[in-house]
Amino acid sequence: MCPARSDRSLVRRHPLAAFFALALVLPWICAPIADGLFYSGLPTLLAVALALPFEIMVASPLVAALIVSAVIGGRTAVAGLLRGFLRWRTGWRWYAVALVLPPALAILPAYLNMLWDAPAPSTALFGSVGALLSLFAVRLVNPWDGPLSEEVGWRGFALPRLQQRYSALTANLILAGIVMTWHLRLVASGDLPAVALIGTLAATILFGWLYNSTNGSLLLVYLFHATDGVLKPDYSGVDATHYLWLKIALWALVAAGVAAYSGRTLGSTTSRSFRRIAEIVPPKIIQ
C-alpha cells in the first residue's frame, strides 16, 4: 500500500487523535524554524517568504482542523466545519453573553484591585472607544490570535466529536487539558504566566457552554473569544499580579457556577451533539 494512502486511511480511522497530534506538535516544530528564518540574515522579503508557511502552521488548531477535515471528507467536510459561522440565529441574550461577559470579567477585577491600592479603572487605563474597536477588529481577523487560530479547531472540530463519546462536561474537561497543554509552549517562552492556565480551564468550560447553548454556533464563541482580551488595564508590577489573579479567580468562579447550574450537559444533549457532527462528516467515519 502506498505510504500516503496508508496515512490518509489512518487519519480517517482516528481523526480526533490526528487533529490533537497535529495541533500539539506543529507549533513546537514550526515556530523555531520560522524564527530562525526571520533572523537568519537573509534579505527581508526572502526571509518572510520562506518563514511564512511555517509561521502559518503555528496557528495549529485551525490548520489541523482544516487538514484533517480535508482528509476525511474533502471539501464537504471543510464546508461543514466552517458552517458553524453561519449559525447566527441564536437569540439576542447569547450575543449579550458573548459581547458583555468578557468585558465584565475584565472590568470587575480592575475595581476589586483598588482594594490593594491599584489605580481606579478609567479611560486612560482602558483606551479610547476607537482604539478598543480597532483591537477587537484585529482580533477577529488575525490568524495568529486566539479567536481565529483556536475556535475552528477546539470548538468546531474537536468538541462535537468528544461530546459524541462523553458527556458535555467531561468532554470539555478533556478538551481543557489539551488546550492547556497547547498553551505550555507560551508558558515555556515566558509569554504566558503559568497561573493563566487556570483561566484557560475556566474559559474552555465557558466556551463549551456557549457553543452548546447556541446549537454549535462558531460565530458566538468566536465573538466571545475576540471580546476577551480587548480590555487590558495598563498595570505593572504588583498591581498587574493582583489583577491577573483576580481575573482568573472570577473566570473560575463563573465557570464553576455555569457547570453547577447546567450539570453534565453544559447546555447540550446527545442528539444535538450528534447532529452537529453529522453535518461535518457521514456517521460511518465518525470516530
Side-chain angles (χ1 to χ4, degrees):
M1 179 182 291
C2 173
R5 184 174 300 175
S6 176
D7 291 342
R8 288 195 296 269
S9 177
L10 183 64
V11 171
R12 291 191 181 104
R13 290 198 304 271
H14 307 286
L16 194 56
F19 165 76
F20 284 143
L22 284 174
L24 293 177
V25 171
L26 282 177
W28 290 96
I29 297 175
C30 296
I33 296 175
D35 290 342
L37 289 169
F38 275 129
Y39 301 107
S40 63
L42 293 170
T44 302
L45 290 179
L46 178 59
V48 170
L50 293 175
L52 186 58
F54 296 100
E55 191 67 29
I56 289 173
M57 294 294 178
V58 175
S60 58
L62 171 63
V63 172
L66 293 174
I67 290 175
V68 176
S69 293
V71 170
I72 64 178
R75 287 180 294 180
T76 300
V78 173
L81 174 69
L82 301 177
R83 193 174 294 128
F85 285 109
L86 301 180
R87 296 191 181 98
W88 59 272
R89 295 182 178 179
T90 61
W92 67 267
R93 67 184 183 279
W94 296 114
Y95 281 92
V97 169
L99 298 175
V100 175
L101 183 57
L105 293 177
I107 294 173
L108 183 55
Y111 279 102
L112 293 174
N113 208 12
M114 294 173 62
L115 297 174
W116 285 272
D117 298 322
S122 65
T123 303
L125 283 173
F126 296 123
S128 66
V129 173
L132 295 178
L133 291 176
S134 297
L135 178 57
F136 177 70
V138 170
R139 282 179 63 80
L140 288 175
V141 299
N142 182 357
W144 294 282
D145 205 348
L148 188 54
S149 70
E150 295 187 53
E151 290 311 317
V152 173
W154 303 141
R155 251 62 62 178
F157 187 92
L159 184 57
R161 287 171 168 81
L162 284 171
Q163 290 187 157
Q164 183 63 20
R165 301 181 182 185
Y166 309 101
S167 71
L169 181 58
T170 300
N172 277 275
L173 288 173
I174 294 171
L175 182 60
I178 299 294
V179 178
M180 291 166 71
T181 303
W182 184 79
H183 281 87
L184 285 178
R185 184 180 67 88
L186 301 178
V187 175
S189 66
D191 294 324
L192 186 72
V195 69
L197 295 178
I198 300 174
T200 300
L201 169 61
T204 303
I205 297 298
L206 291 178
F207 287 152
W209 165 68
L210 180 61
Y211 180 83
N212 287 333
S213 298
T214 57
N215 197 28
S217 174
L218 272 181
L219 175 63
L220 266 292
V221 294
Y222 184 60
L223 293 175
F224 188 85
H225 201 149
T227 307
D228 176 42
V230 170
L231 295 182
K232 293 183 178 180
D234 189 19
Y235 292 129
S236 61
V238 68
D239 291 336
T241 300
H242 289 159
Y243 175 79
L244 176 63
W245 278 95
L246 287 167
K247 184 177 180 181
I248 291 171
L250 282 173
W251 275 81
L253 183 63
V254 173
V258 165
Y261 176 78
S262 57
R264 296 175 62 85
T265 66
L266 277 186
S268 180
T269 66
T270 301
S271 60
R272 283 163 59 185
S273 297
F274 178 78
R275 285 200 301 270
R276 286 197 290 274
I277 300 178
E279 291 175 358
I280 299 172
V281 290
K284 65 180 180 179
I285 60 173
I286 294 174
Q287 297 293 335

